Amino acid sequence: MAEMRNKQVVLRDYVTGFLKESDMNIVESTITLKLPQGSNEVLLKNLYLSCDPYMRIRMTKDYTAELGTYTLATPLTGHGVSKVLESGNPDYEKGDLVLGITNWEEYSFVSSAQILFKIEHTDVPLSYYTGILGPPGMTAYVGFFELGSPKKGENVFVSAACGAVGQLVGQFAKLSGCYVVGSAGSKEKVHLLKNKLGFDEAFNYKEEPDLNAALKRCFPEGIDIYFENVGGKTLDAVLLNMRVHGRIPVCGMVSQYNLTQPEGVTNLANLIFKRIRMEGFIVTDFYDLYPKFLEFLLPHIREGKVVYVEDMAEGLENGPAALAGLYRGRNVGKQVVVVARE
């Protein structure tokens, strides 16, 4: 049985306020790269790990929602792309490439009860399965098409528009014949939205002293669909600018995750007066749509009609810095940690 070094990213202590690189530690253990006799687990070599905003919430002590709190001194868990080294599960064979929940470490034993999607299409970059072809892509697809119910000619606003989800929502909106505006946190990102990702307009929210005025400038006739990624002051301003029967799919509120006291929203009465439908969702509830999602998106990628921007951090040891940087907007595009390239 071969014993190998297994580098891991573990949570040092529960987090209050903004996540810092020092809240996580890099540790090394050893792992036997052999399944026990009769095991139904899958042994994975992790290749790409996804940095996702929800991970910060799981670092809060006594977090009680569906995913629960991370355990101290054990590897973080999250979505990743991995290669099967050995399998006790008949659904997977040695050499298979899979997408699913794995640990932030070089090698992982994964329960057969855990959801893994076998990667069949390898003519696109494997890292795409952490983003455009993974949960962020599914989130954009489900939120925009299933909850947003877009119609040609409608006005769409996307916050955190340069992120893993937002950049896709904007492109899906353009494919649907909508007018789309995005907000982001730097001039570089605004340039990217307008010149590479095809947004009709974009603005740097950090340079706007009055978000309500910025939205009125971009949407003089109001907003039909707001894809909610950030919450707080942005949501409050958007509510003033929504049109009657507008829709607000809510997939995240990243501006609130690091606050000890979340910001209040004062304009909620607009939900009533404008008959707005605002609905939160978790992408795992829609995994049955994954084949339909791939059927829709893969041709667009191959034809260059949808593009994707990634921010790659090389090496697991750079994982803590990459994850912490996510909450301060340091990444440009989807933040990915490269553990190994097969």
Side-chain angles (χ1 to χ4, degrees), residues 211-261:
L211 287 175
N212 179 34
L215 292 172
K216 279 184 167 48
R217 183 179 75 237
C218 294
F219 297 102
E221 296 179 357
I223 300 166
D224 295 293
I225 301 172
Y226 169 48
F227 200 99
E228 170 65 296
N229 286 309
V230 302
K233 295 173 182 176
T234 300
L235 173 59
D236 222 15
V238 167
L239 287 168
L240 295 173
N241 290 276
M242 291 296 294
R243 300 180 74 177
V244 172
H245 297 302
R247 287 85 70 201
I248 305 179
V250 183
C251 86
M253 292 194 172
V254 70
S255 73
Q256 306 301 295
Y257 297 159
N258 293 288
L259 302 181
T260 52
Q261 180 59 52

